[in-house]
Amino acid sequence: MGATCSSILNISTCCRINEDSAHREDEPLLGDKERQAVNMLVELFERRSTVSFYEGEPLKALSTLVYSDIYHLQLSAATAFSEISEIDTRPVSREALEPILYLLQSPHIDVQHGASAALGNLAVNMDNKLLIVRMGGLEPLIRQMLSPNIDAQINSVGCITNLATAEENKMRIAKSGALLPLTRLARSRDIRVQRNAAGALLNMTHSAEHRQQLISAGSVPVLVELLGTDDQELQYYATTALSNIAVDESGRKLLWETQPTLVDALIRFVDASTIKVQCQAILTLRNLASDDQYQIQIVEKGGLDSLLPLLQSAYDPLVISAAACLRNLSIHPDNEEHILSSGILPCLVNLIAHAGSEEVQCHVISALRNLVANNDADKTPFVEAGLFEHIRDVLLDPQTSDIVLSEMVAALSVFVLDESLWPCMVDCGFLELLIPLTRAEAIELQYNACAIISSLSSKASEISDRLEQVWDKPDGGLQSYLASFLAIDEGMDPLLRSVAIWTVLMLLEGGSSQLVRLVTGHPSIVKNVEKIAEMGALSEEKARHSAYASAGSAAGLRVSRAFESDLYGEDIENGDEADEDIYNRMENLAQDVMALVNNLEY
């Protein structure tokens, strides 16, 4: 197939141009070596699909044109590299990049234009991105950015946009002085320049250090200005960059102090924009809502009305973004009434069982947990919306992941502390569902399941019949859980063992006579509690629990405070002294159990 690109026309006409111009003293004559290179390239371009121009004789021929003193030959070479690289972006060698970088420093703007286009094309390949920067390609590209020529700006900024996707390059770009001209060009009157510059700024927002450098370069006001454009690509680049900047506390502080219209602009995008801009606008609001003042402002400016339709969208990324934003908004107690009166609650509850996305499930249950924790008013709306039925369905689903299970059970550990909600949990059969989870491999899931059972056991005087029903089922029931956690030779985490001892104490203090007989008549429960009560019984075990203790200190953050408030009285910290304290308190609690057992009348 014949080639028709402009580079071939340039190359094939070079001889004629040179001969026509030979009578002029300022035009050098075409040498034999250059003439041979031109002829070879014309022939090679006729079968270009089978030729690699980045090595061997084809590269030598192109390099001959590059290093010629004849302008038209250099232009032909630049154009050829530009067009070759449009279809062939393989990793290239230093030998192939050197002539392109040489052309980039030509005094002729059209030669520079071709060279920068070639670099931009090659810079879609990761190996090439790194090599271009290592070989000093940034400096001539920055000079082109400073050129008044629009084509030079488009190509040079586009190339830097591609180079900035490589982590290794970002620090060099930041230190090269490129951020200031990039920021200036993001205000260009040419939309192509603006897009490339905004894209480059976006690519520099993926680490905290580079975000700070962008802030120092004055990029934030420019990015906020771009929210006011009609171009959807610019809107997307700007919202995504601002979303990344809002990840950092210092970035949110700057935005709060200097950009009073930011939330209004983002909410407008949520209400009327393309899906990808909507998603990024919501995620920016989500990140901003990490701070109290933004949590309040977003709700005051009508953010809830914008989120409700998106929670009902059939497009999962929109639902995920909206749910994540609402989770952060629900943190602030002052927003609780607004959220509940907005009509969002039934939608949140329905999304608990959103099988299409674990992220949605985790975000909505976290939001509901926050709303219950912040709400001192009537919890009836939560119950009427089917909160516990939906959670029960998720726990019963064998396809539910440990991540989702952990979030659901963590929320239940908050709900169980509410006097109006725990009876609903009992009625929905959560005792039966939680007992198998006391053996879960996920440590946080295990902790919270045990804590909820402990909290419900503190209501033994009211639910003895239900506790009796789960004594030996499912999966061995309550007695099997307690026996295994109290076994001396199991190497059990001391905090989990303390929960088990506390549960025994609650069953004995408030349980029916039948429940008390079940506990005291068990072959190992009371016997092992008695051993724990003796100071020396755990001396060997104290050296074995360190692996659990390190995990427990983190996972225990969500454990119900129902037993901790009486059991510990103060926070437990890491270290040998804290470990000793755990054991001392566990022994004291075991002694309380034994004192109660010894005083029981059967």
Side-chain angles (χ1 to χ4, degrees), residues 317-333:
L318 280 179
V319 182
I320 293 169
S321 301
C325 184
L326 191 61
R327 181 202 64 200
N328 281 4
L329 296 178
S330 68
I331 293 171
H332 203 292

Side-chain angles (χ1 to χ4, degrees), residues 8-241:
I8 301 174
L9 297 178
N10 286 336
I11 292 170
S12 62
T13 57
C14 274
C15 294
R16 181 177 56 80
I17 291 171
N18 184 257
E19 290 167 358
D20 292 346
S21 306
H23 64 283
R24 295 170 52 188
E25 294 181 1
D26 59 344
E27 287 288 342
L29 294 173
L30 195 67
D32 291 340
K33 188 176 181 181
E34 294 163 333
R35 188 183 302 277
Q36 291 171 3
V38 169
N39 291 333
M40 175 185 289
L41 288 170
V42 170
E43 188 267 328
L44 289 174
F45 266 94
E46 289 293 333
R47 50 187 179 88
R48 60 185 297 182
S49 62
T50 62
V51 176
S52 171
F53 289 90
Y54 300 133
E55 58 191 357
E57 291 303 316
L59 178 60
K60 273 187 187 177
L62 278 172
S63 297
T64 298
L65 271 61
V66 168
Y67 298 113
S68 169
D69 293 329
I70 300 175
Y71 156 70
H72 288 95
L73 292 183
Q74 289 189 338
L75 177 58
S76 295
T79 307
F81 274 122
S82 172
E83 296 180 356
I84 292 165
S85 62
E86 285 182 0
I87 58 173
D88 187 356
T89 59
R90 74 183 73 181
V92 299
S93 65
R94 299 179 72 92
E95 288 73 20
L97 278 181
E98 282 173 352
I100 302 176
L101 291 173
Y102 179 83
L103 291 172
L104 197 61
Q105 302 181 64
S106 166
H108 303 289
I109 195 66
D110 45 0
V111 174
Q112 295 177 17
H113 178 267
S116 60
L119 285 181
N121 293 335
L122 291 171
V124 301
N125 177 279
M126 182 57 69
D127 292 335
N128 293 338
K129 295 177 201 287
L130 300 177
L131 187 56
I132 289 168
V133 173
R134 290 170 186 166
M135 291 181 64
L138 282 179
E139 185 177 345
L141 286 170
I142 292 172
R143 284 200 298 270
Q144 277 203 34
M145 282 200 297
L146 299 174
S147 166
N149 183 277
I150 294 298
D151 288 335
Q153 293 174 0
I154 292 170
N155 283 355
S156 57
V157 177
C159 185
I160 288 180
T161 301
N162 287 344
L163 297 176
T165 61
E167 286 302 315
E168 179 183 312
N169 288 344
K170 290 180 181 179
M171 181 56 67
R172 298 189 183 189
I173 292 172
K175 290 182 176 180
S176 70
L179 297 184
L180 285 172
L182 283 173
T183 299
R184 179 178 62 81
L185 291 175
R187 284 174 163 152
S188 170
R189 294 182 179 180
D190 188 284
I191 191 65
R192 298 166 297 173
V193 176
Q194 272 193 299
R195 285 177 178 172
N196 283 347
L201 294 177
L202 167 58
N203 288 340
M204 294 295 293
T205 63
H206 296 130
S207 77
E209 182 177 4
H210 300 139
R211 289 192 288 269
Q212 288 303 312
Q213 291 165 333
L214 281 177
I215 288 172
S216 299
S219 301
V220 168
V222 178
L223 290 170
V224 175
E225 285 178 22
L226 294 179
L227 298 180
T229 68
D230 295 327
D231 185 78
Q232 292 174 350
E233 287 300 311
L234 285 176
Q235 292 172 359
Y236 174 75
Y237 293 149
T239 51
T240 308

Side-chain angles (χ1 to χ4, degrees), residues 288-306:
L288 292 174
S290 299
D291 292 346
D292 289 356
Q293 63 267 29
Y294 272 120
Q295 291 165 4
I296 293 294
Q297 188 183 73
I298 291 168
V299 172
E300 288 179 344
K301 290 183 175 292
L304 293 177
D305 293 335
S306 300

Side-chain angles (χ1 to χ4, degrees), residues 521-541:
H522 191 276
S524 67
I525 290 176
V526 173
K527 288 181 181 178
N528 283 334
V529 172
E530 185 176 16
K531 291 179 182 179
I532 294 170
E534 299 172 0
M535 291 293 292
L538 301 175
S539 58
E540 295 183 2
E541 191 176 350

